[in-house]
Amino acid sequence: EGYDDYGWGCVYRGTQTILRALGKRVPPLPELTCAMGTGDEWLRNPAAGCSWIEPHDVAEYFRRFVAECGDLRLVNVATRDGANLLNVRACKVGTHHTYELLPRQPNLQPGSLDAVQAVQRTRSLIVGHMVRTRTPVLVD
């Protein structure tokens, strides 16, 4: 599209990719940022960039603008010791979404059996979703 979204555009672009994969209308980036509650000030002041969004903002966008989408499953997977997982997150538009939490076993050692099992659990979650629903997954 020719917009400079370096440093903030990854989840917006992921949203566009999922919409395209589902055969839905793909809004241009300025329309998407406005619909997600982050505005379009970045067009007038590109150096300022745009606010980041998170998967719950994407879920809210789909709920509001994508017919027959239904509620999206949100999962927060701990990838480091001491990660503070939040199960309820506020969207830029003011609504809230709830995440399932998958905590991490403390003190995992790279390559250990427990670490391998943790990775396999996350992989099974993603692959299982794709096999069952034949729909994309957004990983942020």
Side-chain angles (χ1 to χ4, degrees):
E1 292 177 312
Y3 299 112
D4 181 7
D5 59 356
Y6 180 79
W8 58 266
C10 58
V11 179
Y12 294 103
R13 297 306 187 172
T15 303
Q16 289 177 316
T17 300
I18 291 172
L19 288 166
R20 189 171 297 110
L22 295 174
K24 303 295 184 183
R25 179 182 168 275
V26 179
L29 190 58
E31 182 181 327
L32 190 59
T33 60
C34 286
M36 289 190 164
T38 54
D40 61 1
E41 178 60 28
W42 60 272
L43 283 170
R44 291 177 286 290
N45 184 7
C50 188
S51 294
W52 287 14
I53 58 167
E54 302 290 341
H56 50 277
D57 296 297
V58 176
E60 182 62 18
Y61 176 85
F62 274 70
R63 187 188 70 74
R64 293 171 53 214
F65 296 106
V66 180
E68 301 128 14
C69 180
D71 289 335
L72 299 184
R73 181 180 183 191
L74 297 169
V75 182
N76 197 340
V77 179
T79 57
R80 66 183 183 283
D81 277 343
N84 182 23
L85 301 181
L86 301 174
N87 70 326
V88 177
R89 304 285 305 271
C91 298
K92 300 289 187 198
V93 297
T95 57
H96 292 82
H97 282 265
T98 301
Y99 283 77
E100 295 174 44
L101 301 181
L102 292 181
R104 173 190 156 127
Q105 178 182 336
N107 303 315
L108 286 180
Q109 298 301 313
S112 70
L113 179 60
D114 288 338
V116 169
Q117 288 174 340
V119 169
Q120 287 174 339
R121 178 181 69 166
T122 302
R123 182 182 182 282
S124 293
L125 176 74
I126 294 168
V127 171
H129 165 82
M130 294 176 82
V131 167
R132 278 189 316 280
T133 66
R134 309 198 66 63
T135 59
V137 172
L138 172 66
V139 177
D140 177 37

